[in-house]
Amino acid sequence: MAGSENSPPNPHSEDLCSGTVALVGRPNAGKSTLLNAFIGDKVAIVSDKPQTTRNRIIGILTEDRGQAVFFDLPGVHKPLHKMNTRMMKEVQSALEEVDVVLHLVDSSEPWGGGEEYLVELLANIRPKVVGVLTKIDLLSAKTDLLPLMERYVERRPGTPLVPISAIKGDGLDELLGELFNGLPVGPSFYPADLTTTQTERFFVAEVVREKLLERTRNELPYTTGVITDLFDESGRVLHLEAVIYVERKSQKGIVIGKGGRMIRAVGQAAREELEAVLGTKIYLGLRVKVHPRWRDDPRVLREMEPGTADLGDIQGLVTENEE
Ligand SMILES: Nc1nc2c(ncn2[C@@H]2O[C@H](COP(=O)(O)OP(=O)(O)OP(=O)(O)O)[C@@H](O)[C@H]2O)c(=O)[nH]1
Ligand SMILES: [Mg+2]
């Protein structure tokens, strides 16, 4: 990653390892859960529906041994909309850019065509690859892992392989050791207390989307998107307004729910979480908009990007990293 000349001088920079790490895997493999476990804070939203993450979410971990800048990425899938094509481009560009790739494989799912596709995708890339078998807490016996481990070693001989449970915290120290080994020697890029670069506006929209994902099924998780269109800190309470995009009128009805029950529940859950995270009283207004082709509308998609928070002095550095 470029821009280290802009970093604050570090007297022991020769002892530090710092660089970028991509989280790559099928949808639902556990990438965002692992990111949050590494950071020790909620940086990315999580759900049991595939394709929860739609952008590159940056999470920063600073330790005595250096700094790992994680790129949480959308799960690898076949794109059918402009939105999904962008999601896959994000993965592709990360593979060319980062120092280390964590290749996540869900140990609670059978190995299939999707995993084979990923193995092909990672076949000749420059970054160091570390295999990660996720969700091992779901296995009834440790020996259940053996067939999957054998398969992985057969497909990627010589690649380090670490079984983990992000929820229980198992295997995370070993995994951190493996990934820091793959980072180049050099000083940190970001201040030690910074954990993410996304804007608060984006995080608000993501939390609303997470609460919706928790309460909807079938096509709704794929066809809803959220934009924060007001973030007003001037009053006594933080005034937030967000728009929930759906594709059809019938979906609008589901999101609003009988007598507004669904949208009220989503709003309340999102507000409570945001009040805890942002440490302030919040008014959160939600509206639903029907836009049949929002997933193919570049203007809407742009507004749904994570942006870059105003990070003061290091703004130039961050812009450079973001490209
Ligand atoms: N039991 C268990 N469940 C996990 C673990 N890690 C993730 N999960 C669950 O797996 C589901 C998917 O997790 P995410 O972190 O959203 O997965 P992801 O890879 O980011 O998914 P996409 O963003 O859709 O690509 C959620 O229901 C998580 O709670 C784990 O270590 N153990
Ligand atoms: Mg995710």
Side-chain angles (χ1 to χ4, degrees), residues 28 30-33 44-47 51-54 72-75:
N28 238 12
K31 301 175 292 296
S32 301
T33 307
I45 61 164
V46 164
S47 91
Q51 297 181 31
T52 298
T53 305
R54 292 176 175 166
D72 182 20
L73 295 160

Side-chain angles (χ1 to χ4, degrees), residues 30-306:
K31 301 175 292 296
S32 301
T33 307
L34 176 59
L35 176 78
N36 292 338
F38 277 150
I39 306 302
D41 215 346
K42 181 159 170 177
V43 175
I45 61 164
V46 164
S47 91
D48 59 0
K49 316 283 189 306
Q51 297 181 31
T52 298
T53 305
R54 292 176 175 166
N55 309 85
R56 176 193 296 190
I57 312 285
I58 294 183
I60 304 158
L61 176 67
T62 309
E63 294 194 341
D64 289 343
R65 57 186 149 181
Q67 189 173 70
V69 179
F70 292 98
F71 295 176
D72 182 20
L73 295 160
V76 172
H77 65 283
K78 197 169 160 214
L80 296 177
H81 293 270
K82 265 206 187 82
M83 177 178 84
N84 305 72
T85 308
R86 282 177 168 222
M87 286 158 70
M88 291 308 95
K89 275 195 183 140
E90 207 63 88
V91 175
Q92 198 63 53
S93 69
L95 294 180
E96 286 157 23
E97 208 179 309
V98 295
D99 299 302
V100 175
V101 170
L102 300 186
H103 172 198
L104 277 72
V105 179
D106 188 338
S107 72
S108 67
E109 292 283 328
W111 183 278
E115 295 302 344
E116 287 294 332
Y117 178 74
L118 254 167
V119 167
E120 298 284 314
L121 190 72
L122 303 180
N124 292 308
I125 59 170
R126 183 192 46 81
K128 167 179 174 164
V129 177
V130 180
V132 184
L133 301 181
T134 64
K135 311 187 191 178
I136 58 167
D137 58 288
L138 292 177
L139 303 177
S140 41
K142 277 252 160 78
T143 47
D144 290 354
L145 262 184
L146 292 176
L148 190 56
M149 291 177 98
E150 275 169 24
R151 176 70 74 110
Y152 196 86
V153 171
E154 186 188 300
R155 302 296 282 115
R156 288 200 59 96
T159 300
L161 185 58
V162 185
I164 65 152
S165 164
I167 282 184
K168 294 255 162 87
D170 295 340
L172 299 191
D173 286 341
E174 186 189 345
L175 182 54
L176 279 175
E178 277 294 349
L179 75 87
F180 267 103
N181 273 339
L183 297 182
V185 172
S188 300
F189 301 104
Y190 295 100
D193 57 354
L194 193 71
T195 54
T196 186
T197 62
Q198 62 196 320
T199 62
E200 286 180 332
R201 258 177 195 265
F202 174 78
F203 187 70
V204 167
E206 287 287 90
V207 169
V208 171
R209 198 160 62 82
E210 183 186 67
K211 303 312 169 201
L212 261 169
L213 286 173
E214 279 168 11
R215 290 165 177 78
T216 52
R217 54 183 68 85
N218 300 332
E219 87 275 24
L220 257 171
Y222 302 100
T223 52
T224 45
V226 183
I227 291 174
T228 310
D229 60 351
L230 182 76
F231 194 103
D232 180 4
E233 298 172 277
S234 64
R236 211 169 38 81
V237 300
L238 174 59
H239 184 175
L240 305 173
E241 295 283 345
V243 184
I244 299 168
Y245 278 87
V246 290
E247 291 184 339
R248 288 201 300 273
K249 229 173 142 198
S250 59
Q251 295 167 344
K252 179 171 177 173
I254 298 171
V255 169
I256 290 173
K258 254 201 193 119
R261 227 174 282 160
M262 168 77 98
I263 199 161
R264 265 202 308 278
V266 167
Q268 185 182 339
R271 181 179 51 76
E272 284 171 2
E273 182 167 325
L274 289 166
E275 283 184 339
V277 173
L278 302 175
T280 178
K281 276 258 168 229
I282 289 173
Y283 171 83
L284 172 62
L286 296 179
R287 297 185 323 284
V288 187
K289 226 185 222 179
V290 179
H291 180 345
R293 295 180 52 79
W294 74 260
R295 283 187 289 176
D296 288 304
D297 183 340
R299 195 184 47 84
V300 174
L301 296 177
R302 261 200 82 77
E303 284 195 67
M304 287 179 182
E305 285 175 3

Side-chain angles (χ1 to χ4, degrees), residues 6-20:
N6 293 351
S7 302
N10 186 318
H12 306 295
S13 62
E14 67 277 9
D15 301 330
L16 298 175
C17 292
S18 302
T20 45

